[in-house]
Structure formats: C-alpha cells, structure tokens
Amino acid sequence: MKICGSLIVLAALLEGATAQPRMAIAPIGSSKLDPALEQMLMLRSDPRHAHLARRLDPRPLSGATGGGERLSENEDMVPIIVSGDVHREDVVRAVNGIIGSRHGAILTAEVPADSLRPLAARPGIVAVEASRQLHPSLLHSVPSTGAHVMHAQSDPVRRLTGKGVIIGFTDSGINTPHATFRAADGRTRILSVWDQHGTGTPPSGWSYGAEHDSAEINGSRWWMYDLAEHGTHVAGIAAGNGRPGGTYTGMAPEADIIMVCNRGDDLWSGGLTTVGTLDGYDYIRSRANALGKRHVINTSQGTNLGPHDGTSLFEQAIDADIRAGSVVCLAAGNDALSGRHASAVVPSGGAVEIRFSFHTLFPQDTAAIPMEAWYSGGDRISVSCRKEADPSFAPSVPPGSSGLLTFDSVEVVFTNMVHSPLNGDNVIRCTLLPLVPVTEGDIAMVLRFEAADNGSLPDGGRIDLWWERNFEVAFLDHRDDACTIGMPGGARGAITVGSCDNDAGAAGALSVFSAHGPARDGALKPDIVAPGGGVTSSVPGGGFR
C-alpha cells in the first residue's frame, strides 16, 4: 500500500504488508479548492507518487494569460477560475498569479501550483475551480425549424438572416477556406480567429495564442483546416450559407463569424477547456462591442463533472456574461443513454453499493478517469470501493478527507469534501488511474456509500454520480438517464438546447442520445430542442456531411 502527503510514515509501515488493497487517509487542505485541485496537490506532496500527480497536472503553457502579464515559462502554472470580493485580483497577484478574463465577480487566472492553498486561504476568496476539459457535444435542419420562412421575407424588417449580427464560437476551429463561410463576392465572413493553441501575435490585451483577421484570410496569408471538424460543422449549422450549391444553408447565413479555438490547459492534458472558453467569451464580447454589433455565443462542448445545478464557477461566469449583454447558446449534451449517471438513496444507518466497469485503450500514463458524486449538505456519507471479485471493501474515506487506494491494475483517488463553496452541498470525487492498459476486457468495480457519523441522514441520503464523458466507463446498476445535461448547460440565463431528429420518418422526435433534464436542483433544462440528429453541415475540405 502506498500513500501520500502527511501519511508517508503510515505508508512505509503498510508497504509489503499484504497484497490486500488498503486505504490510507489524509485530511482535506481547504474546502475552497476544487476537489480536482485537492487531488493533484495530494499526489504532488509525496515524491513517490509523482508519476500519478503528473497525470493530473496541467501541461506547461507557451504563454500566460491576461493583459501582458507574464511569468517565467519555467513556472509550474495551474489554470483556474476564481470567485471572490472586489480585491480578488490583488489577492491573485499577491501569490504570483496572473489574471486572465473577468466575468462579474469571477475571473480566470494562472497561479503556481504551490500557491493554490495560500490563495484559497486568503480573505475574500470564495472558491477556486480547476480548469476542466470540455468534450464536443451535434440534411436540412433549416426547414425543420422554419428558418427558411424568415430568410425569404420580402420586408427587410421581418427578414432574419443574421445580417449585422456576430455569431461567436468556442470550438475546435474552423475551415477558413470553406465557401459556406464566404459572401457572394468571395470574401470571408469570418471576422477573426483566435487560435489559442497557435503561435504568432496574440489578441490585444492577451499574451498567448495567435489572432488572425479577415484580411489575412482574404489575402490567403493564413488559413485553418480544423482537423477535429467539430467547429466547422457547428459553424456551418449556425452560420453557413451553403455555397457553392446553396443546399445546406445554416440558420443565419449572413451573420459575421468569430471563432475561438480553445486552448488545452486542463488537468487532463489536452483539449478544449473551461478557462480557454471563458477567455474566448471575453474576446468575442470585446470584439463585438468594439464593432458596435450584437453578438451571440455558441458553445457545443461540455463536461459531466460539476454540481449540475448551475452553480459551478464556469456557469456562474457565463451567467455574468449574459447579464453583461451576451446571448449564449449551449448544447445539452449527448449522454442520455451513456450509462454515466447513477442515483441512489443511502439508508440511514446503512449503505448502498453501485457497480461500474471500465476499460482503457490508451496509454496508461495519460489516463485519468474522473467521477463526481454530489449530495445534500446536511448529510454525511463515507465512500469506499473494491474490485467486484474481491471479498471485502477497503476502509472508508470519511467526509473531510482524501485517500489513495492501490490495486494491482488501477489506483483510485477519493476526495470527500463537505460544504462546497459553490452551493453548500457535499461532493465526492473519484479518479481512476489505470496502471496498465486494460485491453483484454472490462474491469468491474463496486463503490460503497455509507451513512457516516451517527448514521443519520437528515436530508434524505440521495446521491447523484456522474462519470466524465468520452471515457469507456459506465454504471452497471442504479443507472439514471434523467439529469444527464452536462456543464455548462445548467447556466440559468443561457439557452440550453437539446436535440431532435431530422431524418425522414423521425423528424421532430427527441434524439435518443440527447441529454435529459431536469437539473439536480429540479430546474427545468433544456430550454428548447432543435434538429441535431441527421443534420448535414460543412466539413473541412469544402464539402458537406
């Protein structure tokens, strides 16, 4: 058995004892820190677990965010979202942090990893949230919505084609040469692209990524392919004009376009992230305001992690942007039938067991499979686990503690946090760290949730669990297909959109994959459904699919 942090001595005593997995437990350092950050710091604290900590560490960045501020590229910087009082920016700078974008009482920032706990301990800081990875969420959708009727109105006041409006996207990128994004005279309707992964001249007020404008695109001095295709497809649905054939026309074929290609700065080593997305919102809003144009922002990405009640800092920041004038459309997600949500009621004085299985087809040094379980703030629940074939559970991790459990093929990290600063509820984070690629079949495991303290559960004992998207993991029992809308779809002021089918014979039916509401607190989401199944749109290379 191995353990980290303050329990190195205990770990030494346990090593070599038996092959039976054991759990060693350490107290949580700060309830203001996201449990993902708590887990990262816990593993970093013991040199013997550096190989695990690296799998939760963010990758080094080529440049720092915000207003020309910059630290050494050798600094071990962690991207975060911070909420606090009016002095929050001074507090971030006091721990050698750098400021990114601002969203009401919330800002994005980067701080040295060793400064995370000092930052959380500062007066005026309410919560610190990890930058999370976001995952992508998608013949003739326009007739299904009736948009073609608005496109054809002879009265210019009634004709709605997006003319004079900017649609901003935070996504994988956009295929800039595609004819569907060009006007009749051949000039691009793409005002600018902020490639947050790119090298070159950043946008004004920023010090990472590269900005490219319409002049560069029209002059063929720069172009983007969008290898992932997702951003090009989404942009075509919203703002493509169908050129050259005019068949696959989007909803707003005369709108201008701004694309933010989100950077990869998350705790799971790559992809589209919450910090990059919020920085992109700030960029889109600033560009639109400078041009005196109305703007709409679309994000067809999401994560299954978070409280699922609209209180994550990411969602609170989006609501702040909406109050500042942005119109934001969000995808509900595609996890209705994924088996990644389960719910159960822990009985007073008793326990409930929930089975799941997973396998990995990726290298073990990049795999970190996270899950979060949320339950009411008045209850206290302990957690443990075992392999399905094992005869007994490891000792439980009680509320207010973290623990690391080592099996022969996987390590499991638990963080059991009481009274999240987001909403006052409690959250248990579980991260699977496979030690070897699991390619010969699924590994089945069992989670055990037990009433803690005196066994009383005054708030009823309900617990909801979500595995992250895009991993080969699913619950085997207690599966619940309700409440499967991902973050940031719970943002209260956003238009959260589910999917209905567009295929012949099934048009208008709710897509089987479209995430279901309500939110965990009972709020009604999604707000609307629109064609998302069987939709043909632009793809890189000039075609449609």
Side-chain angles (χ1 to χ4, degrees):
M1 181 62 209
K2 303 174 183 178
I3 187 55
C4 51
S6 62
L7 296 181
I8 293 177
V9 175
L10 176 59
L13 295 175
L14 291 175
E15 283 190 21
T18 68
Q20 180 68 26
R22 302 190 197 183
M23 179 76 75
I25 299 166
I28 290 175
S30 172
S31 62
K32 293 182 182 179
L33 286 179
D34 186 308
L37 298 173
E38 279 289 341
Q39 290 190 352
M40 182 190 73
L41 293 175
M42 182 184 74
L43 294 175
R44 285 168 58 96
S45 67
D46 184 353
R48 295 178 301 172
H49 292 88
H51 67 291
L52 298 178
R54 280 195 297 269
R55 289 156 67 179
L56 295 180
D57 275 340
R59 295 183 299 174
L61 302 179
S62 59
T65 60
E69 301 178 15
R70 186 178 183 85
L71 294 181
S72 166
E73 292 184 2
N74 295 323
E75 291 280 358
D76 187 12
M77 303 298 287
V78 178
I80 55 175
I81 306 174
V82 183
S83 69
D85 63 19
V86 294
H87 302 294
R88 59 193 175 279
E89 295 187 19
D90 295 334
V91 172
V92 170
R93 293 191 180 99
V95 296
N96 295 321
I98 50 179
I99 307 299
S101 55
R102 299 157 180 84
H103 310 264
I106 296 169
L107 55 84
T108 65
E110 292 175 4
V111 301
D114 291 342
S115 295
L116 284 168
R117 293 201 194 283
L119 173 64
R122 293 271 181 150
I125 295 299
V126 174
V128 181
E129 184 172 283
S131 179
R132 299 182 184 273
Q133 184 175 1
L134 299 177
H135 302 275
S137 304
L138 297 157
L139 218 151
H140 305 283
S141 59
V142 167
S144 300
T145 63
H148 64 299
V149 176
M150 307 310 298
H151 293 172
Q153 290 289 323
S154 58
D155 182 348
V157 176
R158 296 176 179 271
R159 187 186 310 123
L160 300 177
T161 61
K163 189 172 184 177
V165 176
I166 294 172
I167 302 181
F169 301 90
T170 59
D171 216 299
S172 63
I174 189 168
N175 185 223
T176 54
H178 204 298
T180 199
F181 305 126
R182 293 181 178 269
D185 61 5
R187 290 183 296 179
T188 186
R189 291 186 292 120
I190 302 171
L191 299 180
S192 63
V193 176
W194 181 14
D195 181 2
Q196 295 181 331
H197 300 273
T199 57
T201 303
S204 176
W206 297 91
S207 57
Y208 75 92
E211 181 183 36
H212 302 278
D213 61 18
S214 57
E216 292 178 86
I217 299 172
N218 287 327
S220 300
R221 300 193 302 274
W222 178 84
W223 63 282
M224 173 178 279
Y225 184 79
D226 183 24
L227 191 62
E229 299 188 1
H230 190 267
T232 298
H233 198 75
V234 170
I237 293 172
N241 58 24
R243 296 182 187 278
T247 302
Y248 301 110
T249 303
M251 300 299 297
E254 292 188 295
D256 293 324
I257 298 167
I258 295 176
M259 174 61 71
V260 176
C261 179
N262 323 44
R263 64 177 181 166
D265 61 359
D266 56 274
L267 296 181
W268 298 279
S269 67
L272 315 158
T273 69
T274 54
V275 163
T277 297
L278 289 180
D279 289 352
Y281 279 31
D282 183 77
Y283 170 77
I284 293 166
R285 184 176 62 253
S286 297
R287 285 295 316 271
N289 289 343
L291 294 170
K293 292 189 174 184
R294 294 169 294 170
H295 68 284
V296 178
I297 300 175
N298 180 85
T299 296
S300 294
Q301 307 160 349
T303 169
N304 286 348
L305 305 179
H308 289 259
D309 60 5
T311 62
S312 72
L313 294 190
F314 184 36
E315 290 164 314
Q316 290 185 51
I318 290 174
D319 279 331
D321 289 345
I322 292 168
R323 290 191 295 270
S326 298
V327 176
V328 178
C329 294
L330 304 170
N334 302 332
D335 260 28
L337 302 180
S338 68
R340 295 193 183 100
H341 175 228
S343 64
V345 175
V346 180
S348 295
V352 65
E353 297 180 7
I354 301 177
R355 299 164 55 244
F356 70 93
S357 66
F358 74 95
H359 70 267
T360 64
L361 298 176
F362 31 74
Q364 68 270 26
D365 62 347
T366 61
I369 307 174
M371 182 272 288
E372 287 187 0
W374 287 79
Y375 65 100
S376 184
D379 291 339
R380 296 292 182 270
I381 295 175
S382 297
V383 62
S384 186
C385 73
R386 63 175 172 86
K387 281 191 169 181
E388 191 171 42
D390 290 346
S392 59
F393 287 92
S396 294
V397 179
S401 302
S402 290
L404 173 64
L405 175 62
T406 300
F407 293 91
D408 55 355
S409 58
V410 63
E411 304 225 40
V412 183
V413 188
F414 286 111
T415 297
N416 193 344
M417 178 177 289
V418 175
H419 289 160
S420 165
L422 301 177
N423 56 12
D425 286 344
N426 306 326
V427 56
I428 298 172
R429 182 182 176 88
C430 168
T431 303
L432 305 180
L433 299 167
L435 300 176
V436 294
V438 183
T439 57
E440 73 282 0
D442 290 349
I443 291 181
M445 300 189 73
V446 185
L447 293 164
R448 187 173 192 268
F449 299 93
E450 181 179 12
D453 298 337
N454 61 2
S456 175
L457 297 168
D459 288 346
R462 179 184 170 103
I463 188 166
D464 286 89
L465 305 79
W466 292 270
W467 287 107
E468 180 58 295
R469 304 179 187 182
N470 289 19
F471 291 101
E472 296 298 325
V473 59
F475 292 106
L476 301 178
D477 51 38
H478 293 276
R479 174 174 150 171
D480 187 349
D481 294 339
C483 199
T484 49
I485 294 173
M487 184 182 79
R492 294 303 191 247
I495 303 169
T496 303
V497 185
S499 172
C500 62
D501 286 330
N502 194 57
D503 294 313
L510 183 69
S511 301
V512 295
F513 56 80
S514 186
H516 299 168
R520 190 174 68 92
D521 63 344
L524 294 181
K525 286 284 182 175
D527 300 286
I528 194 172
V529 296
V535 176
T536 299
S537 184
S538 48
V539 294
F544 297 86
R545 183 169 63 241

